[in-house]
Amino acid sequence: MASQVLVAANRGPLSYALDQDGTLSARRGGGGLVSGLSAALARQPEAVWICAALSDADREAVRRGVAEPGVRMLDIDPAVYDDAYNGIANSVLWFTHHHLYDVPREPVFDAAFRRQWASYTAYNRAFAEALAQEAAPGARVLVQDYHLALVPGQLRELRPDLRIGHFTHTPWASPEYLRMLPDDIRSELVWGMLGADVVGFHTWAWADGFMAGAHLDDERGTARPMSPAGVEPSGARWVDKSPSGPVRHRRTDVAVFALGVDGDDLRALAHRPEVDDKLAALRSEVAGRKAIVRVDRTELSKNILRGLLAYRELLTTHPEWRGEVVHLASAYPSRQDLAAYRSYTQAVRDLAAEINTEFGTEDWQPVLVSVEDDFARSLAAYRLADVALVNPVRDGMNLVAKEIPVVSEAGVALVLSTGAGAYEELREDALVVSPYDVTRTAEALHAALSMPAAERAERTKRLAAAATALPPAAWFTAQLDRLEPGA
């Protein structure tokens, strides 16, 4: 049956497990975004979520015709998927949007890259074709993230009747970084995005970056953002499209939807018995000292190494904190199939060990690093935190900055870098630092540890209010509403 509301994302709301006897069983996915989208879609009639089959069990489910209501998995050739996901999405687009290239050596756009881009195009085409098949006339489609940047343009060609939105969860590259891409690839990328009626971002900084990048192709007539005078009262900005060949004009609305957290759900999760057990264990390890907490994947953009360097400088320049503070650093390994990430994860371990060797005593370990993906432990650390350190070089939003104030028990001082998307909303009540300035970050940590309890509590209330302003279900609904005709 054709659907009126569709979501397309690389990862779906569930995955399958294949038992030894050949039985397939579905398991719901975790995480706030999946939960929020699932809750929002449950209220939509005839909604469907289209995603990729990510495991052998997922692909087996597709081949057997096993499916859950409202979910369609795509069995994409594993080699094509690997090229698209690891070769382009994670090794090119992610590095471009997060400004991660070691420019004297990277990027290199050669024949292998062209082959991978062809796979990325085919991967996106599979989603576009599935959406075209599943969508009812005039249906609303929300495409998620940089993995599927070409889908809006491809889908527009197949189904011009649809109302299409695309949301990017990462930053958008500055014009200088976007210009690194080959001209034809950059044009394909921008054209794919401009196939949407609405393109959404977490902040105006990333939205403005997108419009500036679209302007790079102005001389060839592929995209032209309007001047600031074109800003509507709602904050939308129009982009005119004039493709080569017969001239046609349409507009793409560039909008901001600042994803927040569901406070009630998060607090309920944070007070489950297993979290209470983890909290008791952490309290024993911290032993009454103040706690500086960070929770990240070992992702290059998260800036964990400079955070550890700032902590080391804090202990050097403010020796009064030696033996009085513990840094709880949850650094979950990420993308360990990529050499750069394996090296970074090891560097985090090595630097933490150096700090412990330099400053540690028999009864005090300055840094407690966890490299296990343990959500219950993270929630326990949130509750315990006196200081939260969130210092990414560049981050689409960073929900950790929003989650910690929501569940903090005694109030938390937030040290936040200007590189986080959350900076735009939280900066008034955070201690703001440059992600590159280790000395300033060390001083901010000192100020946060020294902050009076009453001030910390008041800041935490305001941070939590901002963090919960647009929880996932409302965030999703706001985007759907913008796709209504005449919106």
Side-chain angles (χ1 to χ4, degrees):
M1 186 177 295
S3 301
Q4 292 290 341
V5 175
L6 303 95
V7 167
N10 176 67
R11 185 174 298 276
L14 56 83
S15 61
Y16 287 94
L18 185 62
D19 296 335
Q20 289 184 346
D21 64 0
T23 302
L24 284 165
S25 56
R27 300 175 181 177
R28 303 303 299 184
L33 182 58
V34 167
S35 298
L37 287 177
S38 298
L41 281 176
R43 296 193 289 268
Q44 301 293 334
E46 301 172 1
V48 65
W49 187 321
I50 295 178
C51 57
L54 300 181
S55 66
D56 290 340
D58 289 349
R59 285 186 281 272
E60 181 63 22
V62 176
R63 291 162 190 160
R64 293 186 192 180
V66 175
E68 299 297 310
V71 179
R72 177 177 171 184
M73 282 188 173
L74 305 180
D75 183 9
I76 296 169
D77 178 87
V80 172
Y81 180 84
D82 183 67
D83 276 351
Y85 184 75
N86 288 318
I88 297 298
N90 286 345
S91 296
V92 175
L93 297 182
W94 181 273
F95 274 65
T96 300
H97 289 322
H98 287 86
H99 296 182
L100 294 177
Y101 284 122
D102 178 7
V103 175
R105 298 176 176 86
E106 303 169 320
V108 175
F109 298 120
D110 54 11
F113 162 78
R114 294 284 174 173
R115 174 183 57 77
Q116 292 173 332
W117 184 261
S119 293
Y120 180 78
T121 301
Y123 166 77
N124 276 248
R125 174 67 64 175
F127 275 85
E129 290 174 350
L131 289 165
Q133 293 166 5
E134 297 282 350
R140 291 172 292 171
V141 179
L142 280 178
V143 182
Q144 299 296 304
D145 227 358
Y146 62 102
H147 311 92
L148 302 176
L150 304 184
V151 167
Q154 294 170 337
L155 183 57
R156 179 68 59 195
E157 294 176 354
L158 297 170
R159 291 288 303 274
D161 61 299
L162 300 180
R163 297 285 294 172
I164 305 169
H166 186 284
F167 190 87
T168 300
H169 293 266
T170 66
W172 188 265
S174 68
E176 292 75 18
Y177 257 75
L178 199 66
R179 197 178 282 115
M180 291 181 181
L181 296 174
D183 289 349
D184 59 321
I185 301 300
R186 186 180 68 242
S187 292
E188 285 185 46
L189 182 66
V190 172
W191 268 102
M193 296 282 285
L194 291 176
D197 296 282
V198 181
V199 290
F201 300 89
H202 284 301
T203 75
W204 275 114
W206 313 143
D208 288 341
F210 171 75
M211 288 186 285
H215 187 66
L216 291 176
D217 291 328
D218 187 27
E219 292 183 1
R220 293 200 303 278
T222 55
R224 179 172 57 84
M226 286 183 67
S227 66
V231 179
E232 286 195 322
S234 65
R237 301 193 182 194
W238 301 119
V239 180
D240 291 334
K241 291 177 61 185
S242 303
S244 58
V247 175
R248 54 182 177 144
H249 295 277
R250 65 175 312 279
R251 65 191 186 194
T252 294
D253 185 3
V254 180
V256 166
F257 305 94
L259 177 64
V261 300
D262 188 314
D264 292 338
D265 284 355
L266 186 61
R267 282 185 283 266
L269 286 171
H271 287 84
R272 293 172 299 163
E274 56 265 42
V275 179
D276 291 337
D277 292 342
K278 297 285 186 179
L279 180 60
L282 285 179
R283 288 194 192 282
S284 177
E285 290 185 90
V286 172
R289 302 177 177 92
K290 288 186 177 290
I292 299 172
V293 170
R294 75 174 305 140
V295 176
D296 296 291
R297 292 175 295 109
T298 49
E299 156 55 48
L300 306 181
S301 66
K302 299 298 184 181
N303 210 21
I304 300 171
L305 289 174
R306 288 192 186 93
L308 286 170
L309 290 172
Y311 180 61
R312 181 165 70 182
E313 189 159 321
L314 168 76
L315 298 178
T316 300
T317 58
H318 292 279
E320 65 269 26
W321 290 115
R322 296 178 191 177
E324 300 297 324
V325 63
V326 172
H327 187 11
L328 297 174
S330 295
Y332 306 141
S334 175
R335 298 176 184 168
Q336 295 299 291
D337 51 340
L338 300 179
Y341 284 79
R342 292 194 300 273
S343 174
Y344 190 78
T345 301
Q346 188 58 48
V348 168
R349 290 191 179 101
D350 292 345
L351 181 54
E354 288 176 17
I355 294 170
N356 286 331
T357 298
E358 182 177 358
F359 295 102
T361 63
E362 287 186 4
D363 62 350
W364 173 56
Q365 185 170 323
V367 185
L368 297 177
V369 174
S370 172
V371 294
E372 301 296 324
D373 192 350
D374 188 340
F375 186 51
R377 184 184 187 278
S378 296
L379 290 172
Y382 288 1
R383 289 170 59 183
L384 182 67
D386 296 292
V387 176
L389 176 57
V390 181
N391 67 319
V393 172
R394 197 170 168 85
D395 213 339
M397 174 54 73
N398 196 299
L399 287 179
V400 170
K402 294 186 171 185
E403 290 169 346
I404 295 181
V406 170
V407 300
S408 168
E409 293 189 347
V412 65
L414 174 63
V415 176
L416 181 67
S417 82
T418 56
Y423 162 77
E424 287 193 9
E425 297 171 89
L426 305 183
R427 59 186 174 183
E428 295 300 325
D429 290 294
L431 301 176
V432 175
V433 298
S434 161
Y436 310 103
D437 192 338
V438 168
T439 295
R440 176 67 185 89
T441 303
E443 288 304 314
L445 290 174
H446 172 66
L449 290 166
S450 306
M451 187 179 292
E455 179 185 353
R456 195 174 65 187
E458 286 301 314
R459 286 183 185 237
T460 301
K461 288 179 184 178
R462 293 191 293 268
L463 288 168
T468 55
L470 196 66
W475 168 85
F476 179 82
T477 302
Q479 292 176 74
L480 276 184
D481 290 346
R482 288 295 290 269
L483 293 178
E484 289 282 4

